[in-house]
Amino acid sequence: MGSNHEAHHEDFQLKDTNPLLGEQWPKGAAGPARPAVGGGIAGWLGMDKPSSTYDLVEQMFFLYVRVVKAKDLPPNPITGAPMDPYVEVKLGNYKGTTKHRTNPEWDQVFAFSKSRVQSNALEVYLKDRDMLGRDDYVGRVLFDLAEVPTRVPPDSPLAPQWYRLEQRRGGDAGYKVRGELMLAVWIGTQADEAFPEAWHSDAATVRGEGVASVRSKAYVSPKLWYLRVNVIEAQDVQPQSRGRAPEVFVKAQVGNQILKTSVVPAATLNPRWNEDLLFVVAEPFEEQLVMTVEDRVSPRKDDLLGRVQLPLTLFEKRLDHRPFVQSRWFDLEKFGIGGAIEGETRRELRFASRVHVRACLEGAYHVMDESTMYISDTRPTARQLWKPPVGVLEVGILSAIGLQPMKKLEGRGSTDAYCVAKYGQKWVRTRTMIGTFSPTWNEQYTWEVFDPSTVITIGVFDNCHLGGGNGNNGGGGAGGGGGPPARDARIGKIRIRLSTLETDRVYTHAYPLILLTPSGVKKMGELRLAVRFTCLSMMNMVHLYTQPLLPKMHYLHPFTVTQLDALRYQAMGIVAARLGRAEPPLRREVVEYMLDVESHMWSMRRSKANFFRAVSLFSGAAAAARWFADVCHWKNVATTALVHVLLLILICYPELILPTVFLYMFMIGLWNYRRRPRHPPHMDTKMSWAEAVHPDELDEEFDTFPTSRQQDVVYMRYDRLRSVAGRIQTVVGDMATQGERLQSLLSWRDPRASCLFVFFCLIAAVVLYVTPFRVVALVAGLFLLRHPRFRTKLPAVPSNFFRRLPSRADSML
């Protein structure tokens, strides 16, 4: 049983890999000579690999075909009408087609993978779309792969050329026909500029709208600002009900964010608040700030007294805390007696009441859109305040192995995997590999690094939006019936903290993809990466370790914890919504998983994990205390004698105390250098308390908010939470009791105890004044290290005295 558990735990460990990366020469060297363009079939077959900037991935070769346009096409031979042409590119059993265009201009790129080539000839057909479903053949262009040139960036793009169409005759070489195609055909790698937008033979089964969702893309998070609205006061607020003074508050709304001021306790027509309301907004500013002044008529009824709608571009952008933002008065669009509530016909409209507001867009803060524990960017919003980068992060997403089937396709399991990486404001998404449990991406991405104390997150997902035509949706695809919309399924994610990486070193590891499901923890496969962190300025990087992690405004004018949590949640929602509107969209479930939206939710498992993290943190201090207790009780006579000698040396030469402490830590650091970690940290199932978690605790963690479970289950969980909270309450109460006893020493709550302590302090002051410090330290040390025959098992006198002191626990109900 023990060996099985160890093997199971070993399965979640990081593994070293040795991939054949693109360039293997030393940093700074010129590298291997690049072969001339036009290397022909030799480069295609891998005999002479051209160099590229992709040195953290295995080079993959593709045959690229760019179909630009056609000209001089003949009319339809039957109807005489202009053609509705399209182009079909065929290589072996793989075939790709352009869209039908009356104007024959396509500018579309097709990429055929070398690993799936089954032919030595490339055929490009031009066909005329027939409304009856039988397309007419017009002509073709034939290429011999041995004659296709090789191109690797930074070579200039290959210029397209005009090719005359040929007509087939009995399979023999045909004669020229009317019409020409502008084409460019070359052999390249995944470093080619055409790679992200190209149609890939690996995804030949995808049709329709699903084609866009399989391509690799880079995204940029929207630029987020904090909007600070200081509601100062209002004037001439008239209630709808005559004869009563209003109880007024202000409600402000930006998009779906709604905040309210407090209700002015004293009934007045000129209420004053001077309260800050904070929102998260994103460029371009599409929403408006809507402020309403309302009257609290009853606990369940609020009357609308006035309203003003302000565009966000009206407010100035503040880059520091020193500029004073000018306040402004805004007239309220007011409803008089008998006026209609918002959305109905307005009977009376006049401008009388005003609201006094000071608002600005804060550019000196960093807008939190992810958990502070896994933050990937610390820069302020305003670009003027950015400092130069200190490094470059390069990540090669190589492949995955052993992925689990995520959906059913024709009675068997299938997975269409893609990766998403997020660091700073830049998101990247690899292409989707269709129908394989061992996808190979070999895509490399680069980020600028402004702070090494940041984290990059890489997630793997199953694409469930490939369109209904190919059947890859399984039971929950986009083309399936009237069920709920498909969601890209999570396969797993990893995090890498940049400060744990050595500079200029390439890390090649296979990271376990671990997913926590309602049935328990599960390994979904392994993700193979190549990671390199390059330092641009070591002096600037060392200087960063002396600076605050966040911009200075977070410390000069900090937000409360409650405000930060609310603002972070709103920022996550804005980022998910904006990225979901891109083409192809980065879907909300993907963004929320990458940003750890649910990390603040209650989890018994995470609570246990954090508790044992705290226990392990103090285990070193506990071990040191046990060692010192053994020394004091003379468990090892030689060790106790050495401690006595050290005590005497430090008492005779007290100036050696601090140098000794720092020298000791220096020696420990040198000793631990030999055993320093050789690989980045990864997800630890044991530390996360995921291997021994109870099924009901997992079910509670995956429950919705508010809960959707049955009433008896909720009662049981509530009672369990009360039990846990009761123990925490007891511990907190004990800590408060000890602190209150310490305070009572001089508070005369117990007059006899305070009298004894005061006279003890007087006697101690006199003794310490007339006695040299070295003598006092020597006597105290020898008393502490006295032999067990001079000890008693009863508690010491100071402990007895302290435990008798009163606390405020007696006053608790």
Side-chain angles (χ1 to χ4, degrees), residues 74 95 164 227 361 479 736 742 772 789 813:
K95 179 173 63 177
R164 286 291 302 273
L227 172 64
L361 295 164
L742 193 62
R789 74 172 55 182
L813 291 175

Side-chain angles (χ1 to χ4, degrees), residues 581-601:
R581 290 160 51 184
E583 186 58 41
L586 198 59
R587 303 192 178 274
R588 174 174 289 272
E589 62 269 19
V590 174
V591 176
E592 290 180 349
Y593 182 57
M594 297 290 289
L595 294 179
D596 285 292
V597 172
E598 301 172 353
S599 61
H600 67 287
M601 298 298 291

Side-chain angles (χ1 to χ4, degrees), residues 120-254:
N120 290 325
L122 171 69
E123 299 172 283
V124 182
Y125 296 97
L126 181 69
K127 296 185 178 182
D128 181 19
R129 183 185 181 187
D130 190 347
M131 299 302 295
L132 300 178
R134 183 177 180 181
D135 297 344
D136 296 328
Y137 171 85
V138 178
R140 71 168 183 172
V141 180
L142 186 65
F143 293 91
D144 185 355
L145 294 188
E147 303 298 327
V148 175
T150 301
R151 173 193 175 263
V152 177
D155 295 345
S156 299
L158 198 65
Q161 302 179 26
W162 287 104
Y163 294 88
R164 286 291 302 273
L165 296 174
E166 296 180 354
Q167 177 68 39
R168 291 181 301 184
R169 278 192 170 180
D172 299 330
Y175 61 90
K176 304 294 182 181
V177 296
R178 181 180 173 185
E180 294 181 80
L181 267 178
M182 179 178 279
L183 303 171
V185 182
W186 73 95
I187 294 168
T189 66
Q190 69 268 40
D192 201 288
E193 295 89 347
F195 178 82
E197 296 295 334
W199 172 94
H200 286 271
S201 59
D202 296 335
T205 59
V206 182
R207 296 287 187 271
E209 297 179 356
V211 173
S213 69
V214 302
R215 293 172 176 165
S216 56
K217 277 290 183 183
Y219 304 83
V220 178
S221 294
K223 189 175 183 179
L224 301 177
W225 294 78
Y226 284 140
L227 172 64
R228 185 190 297 270
V229 181
N230 179 237
V231 183
I232 303 174
E233 59 182 332
Q235 282 186 352
D236 301 328
V237 177
Q238 297 291 336
Q240 292 189 10
S241 302
R242 299 297 187 186
R244 61 176 293 272
E247 299 179 11
V248 182
F249 67 94
V250 174
K251 181 173 71 175
Q253 179 174 358
V254 179

Side-chain angles (χ1 to χ4, degrees), residues 350-428:
R350 66 177 183 270
F351 296 92
S353 301
R354 299 190 302 169
V355 63
H356 194 193
V357 174
R358 181 183 293 112
C360 66
L361 295 164
E362 298 281 7
Y365 287 92
H366 169 70
V367 180
M368 301 282 189
D369 62 347
E370 54 195 339
S371 174
T372 54
M373 295 294 101
Y374 322 120
I375 194 169
S376 65
D377 190 13
T378 60
R379 292 171 293 173
T381 298
R383 196 178 186 90
Q384 302 93 309
L385 303 179
W386 290 5
K387 296 180 180 179
V390 298
V392 174
L393 173 65
E394 299 166 278
V395 178
I397 303 176
L398 304 178
S399 61
I401 59 173
L403 297 185
Q404 300 297 314
M406 302 300 296
K407 52 180 175 277
K408 289 290 185 180
L409 175 62
E410 297 178 356
R412 57 184 177 85
S414 177
T415 298
D416 307 314
Y418 67 93
C419 288
V420 174
K422 195 266 182 189
Y423 182 76
Q425 297 180 352
K426 179 180 175 182
W427 300 65
V428 296

Side-chain angles (χ1 to χ4, degrees), residues 248-279:
V248 182
F249 67 94
V250 174
K251 181 173 71 175
Q253 179 174 358
V254 179
N256 61 351
Q257 306 174 64
I258 300 176
L259 296 176
K260 299 178 182 179
T261 65
S262 59
V263 178
V264 175
T268 175
L269 299 180
N270 299 310
R272 185 176 182 84
W273 297 277
N274 197 24
E275 295 182 15
D276 278 350
L277 305 178
L278 291 166
F279 302 89

